[in-house]
Amino acid sequence: MHALRAQYKLTTTLDLMHCCRARTRGKVRRTVLNCDSKVNLLLHKKILVEGSYLPGLSRMAEKNRYATFSNRLKVPLIGLGTWKSEPGEVKKAIKAAIDAGYRHIDGAYSYQNEVEVGEAYKEKMADGTVKREELFVTTKIWGHFYRPERVEHALRLSLKDLQLDYVDLYLMHSPMAVQYKGDKEVMPKGDDGQWLLDDVHYTETWKAMEKLVEKGLAKSIGVSNFNISQLKEVVKIAKVPVVMNQIENHPCLDQRELVDYCKANNIIVTSYSPLGSPDRSWASDKDPNLREHPLVKEIADAKGCTPVQLLIAYHLCQGLVCIPKSVTPERIQQNFLALDVKVTDDEIKKLDTLASNYRACPWDFWIDHVNYPFREQ
């Protein structure tokens, strides 16, 4: 390692931007690294340099770690989230993520960016970077499609935009249904400005989702934003196993009881908004800033990683899937390197002391819905 560090002129100062030299096609190019000696980066003597990407990206995918569903399908622990990724950004972000080693991409019909997501998949498969079977693709059904007769139609719309024959994981985005007023009307309101909610029960939606697995349109199915009582209802009637519950999860929100229930029932947890979603449009200056919290910075400094990498590793080291969102190639790369950060049980307990019942995404616009999930864990 010392020889490699000397060869690539790396120092050990946290958060410095270091340069290394790599010969590509007879020309010397420079690429940027953000690293520290305490983070186990893959450095290779034979380096492939692509634009501003890290050296050795062709082998970065080997760093992935996996969780195993009850149906034996493996899901990469770290994925790229695409919520809030604007049109014109998400395609570049996914291509950068795949180049950086990500093999898990999380999306949803309601994000309204699946056309670009599909273009990114097509281009990265066409250039030989990745094969379809090497990608783990997640998307979600939105509440206006929850009536059983519309469930297959919903997935086929997503598959068309994604340019895929199947998804690896199809999630019910929440337990709350809304009325159908057209495929694109994801937040329907009446003439009086009131939300057009629907009372179709999520167990009926689930039964229709099971048929998608039978038809080979989805390899696995799961839920998102479900509490324990709601999960129990689905588990009770499920013929196809519930393999995932995707939830908001970070040190400021105590989800321990829900996570423990999922683990006890072979349901993998995906943590979304692992940083507390500070870039959401309704964020307030009064919201906790996890990246700047003294305890987070103290532990990160001791490990020689960034606060963001620590907050991602907090989930990975508990066996939870984590889907941080970014559209910046350098940050996408740095987030992926959280796989190298080891967080101890004692450090997890310390971070858990930050719990303040803070929920960045309370879905309170539908708080009157009969199936609103956040009145309990």
Side-chain angles (χ1 to χ4, degrees):
M1 178 63 78
H2 292 298
L4 287 172
R5 191 173 296 283
Q7 178 182 351
Y8 299 128
K9 306 184 188 302
L10 300 178
T11 70
T12 59
T13 305
L14 182 67
D15 287 338
L16 287 179
M17 301 304 288
H18 306 292
C19 291
C20 72
R21 293 189 176 186
R23 294 191 176 275
T24 306
R25 299 178 182 175
K27 296 181 180 179
V28 176
R29 298 185 181 180
R30 300 178 73 80
T31 187
V32 177
L33 291 175
N34 184 334
C35 63
D36 185 88
S37 60
K38 296 178 182 178
V39 177
N40 179 28
L41 296 176
L42 286 180
L43 297 176
H44 305 289
K45 292 183 179 180
K46 292 184 179 180
I47 297 174
L48 173 65
V49 178
E50 297 181 1
S52 63
Y53 295 132
L54 290 168
L57 278 181
S58 59
R59 294 184 58 190
M60 292 295 281
E62 297 174 7
K63 297 170 71 66
N64 277 294
R65 302 202 307 271
Y66 298 83
T68 303
F69 290 154
S70 56
N71 64 4
R72 306 198 176 216
L73 187 68
K74 293 183 180 295
V75 53
L77 285 182
I78 192 165
L80 180 73
T82 59
W83 177 45
K84 304 187 302 287
S85 294
E86 297 293 333
E89 292 183 337
V90 67
K91 179 179 176 180
K92 294 178 182 178
I94 291 174
K95 292 174 68 174
I98 292 173
D99 283 335
Y102 290 74
R103 293 298 178 261
H104 177 188
I105 309 295
D106 180 85
Y109 180 87
S110 66
Y111 301 165
Q112 299 182 320
N113 57 15
E114 289 190 311
V115 171
E116 277 196 41
V117 173
E119 290 173 355
Y121 293 152
K122 182 178 180 179
E123 291 180 19
K124 295 316 295 179
M125 287 188 280
D127 71 11
T129 302
V130 68
K131 299 176 182 178
R132 171 63 187 95
E133 59 268 24
E134 296 169 339
L135 284 175
F136 189 98
V137 176
T138 299
T139 193
K140 309 178 191 75
I141 182 172
W142 189 246
H144 66 323
F145 291 130
Y146 280 10
R147 291 278 167 184
E149 65 271 17
R150 294 195 178 96
V151 169
E152 182 175 334
H153 170 69
L155 179 51
R156 289 192 181 277
L157 286 175
S158 286
L159 290 175
K160 179 181 178 182
D161 286 347
L162 295 172
Q163 302 187 58
L164 299 175
D165 296 325
Y166 67 91
V167 293
D168 298 276
L169 179 61
Y170 199 41
L171 301 178
M172 207 182 314
H173 209 142
S174 86
M176 298 176 287
V178 293
Q179 294 180 32
Y180 180 84
K181 294 298 178 181
D183 291 345
K184 300 297 184 182
E185 290 291 331
V186 297
M187 303 292 280
K189 288 185 176 181
D191 294 337
D192 59 358
Q194 297 299 307
W195 296 111
L196 296 175
L197 306 180
D198 196 353
D199 61 359
V200 61
H201 201 268
Y202 41 83
T203 53
E204 296 304 308
T205 308
W206 181 264
K207 292 173 184 177
M209 289 173 65
E210 292 183 327
K211 296 177 182 178
L212 304 178
V213 178
E214 296 171 5
K215 293 183 177 182
L217 299 176
K219 286 192 172 183
S220 305
I221 51 177
V223 298
S224 181
N225 297 299
F226 274 51
N227 63 37
I228 293 174
S229 297
Q230 292 166 338
L231 278 171
K232 287 180 177 179
E233 287 186 276
V234 178
V235 168
K236 184 178 180 180
I237 59 95
K239 296 180 180 179
V240 175
V242 183
V243 300
M244 174 71 73
N245 188 20
Q246 185 178 124
I247 58 173
E248 179 181 345
N249 196 17
H250 46 74
C252 287
L253 179 60
D254 181 8
Q255 296 276 39
R256 186 64 55 194
E257 185 180 356
L258 177 55
V259 170
D260 287 347
Y261 171 83
C262 289
K263 287 185 175 181
N265 288 273
N266 296 315
I267 299 170
I268 301 297
V269 170
T270 290
S271 301
Y272 73 75
S273 297
L275 312 181
S277 194
D279 61 337
R280 70 196 190 285
S281 60
W282 61 93
S284 166
D285 292 339
K286 297 180 181 179
D287 293 342
N289 188 337
L290 277 167
R291 290 179 294 186
E292 297 297 327
H293 194 283
L295 177 61
V296 174
K297 295 175 76 172
E298 176 188 341
I299 297 175
D301 285 347
K303 292 185 173 298
C305 67
T306 69
V308 171
Q309 288 170 330
L310 175 69
L311 291 167
I312 296 170
Y314 165 86
H315 302 277
L316 305 180
C317 292
Q318 297 182 72
L320 309 179
V321 179
C322 188
I323 49 171
K325 173 259 178 182
S326 179
V327 295
T328 307
E330 292 78 12
R331 290 177 184 171
I332 288 170
Q333 295 160 10
Q334 291 167 16
N335 291 348
F336 187 74
L337 294 177
L339 286 163
D340 291 324
V341 179
K342 308 302 179 186
V343 186
T344 67
D345 290 343
D346 285 343
E347 289 164 340
I348 289 171
K349 289 178 182 177
K350 288 181 180 179
L351 291 169
D352 283 343
T353 65
L354 301 181
S356 59
N357 202 32
Y358 166 70
R359 191 181 291 275
C361 305
W363 293 63
D364 49 2
F365 44 87
W366 290 342
I367 197 168
D368 294 326
H369 199 290
V370 65
N371 293 325
Y372 183 75
F374 302 138
R375 298 185 185 96
E376 60 176 278
Q377 277 208 359

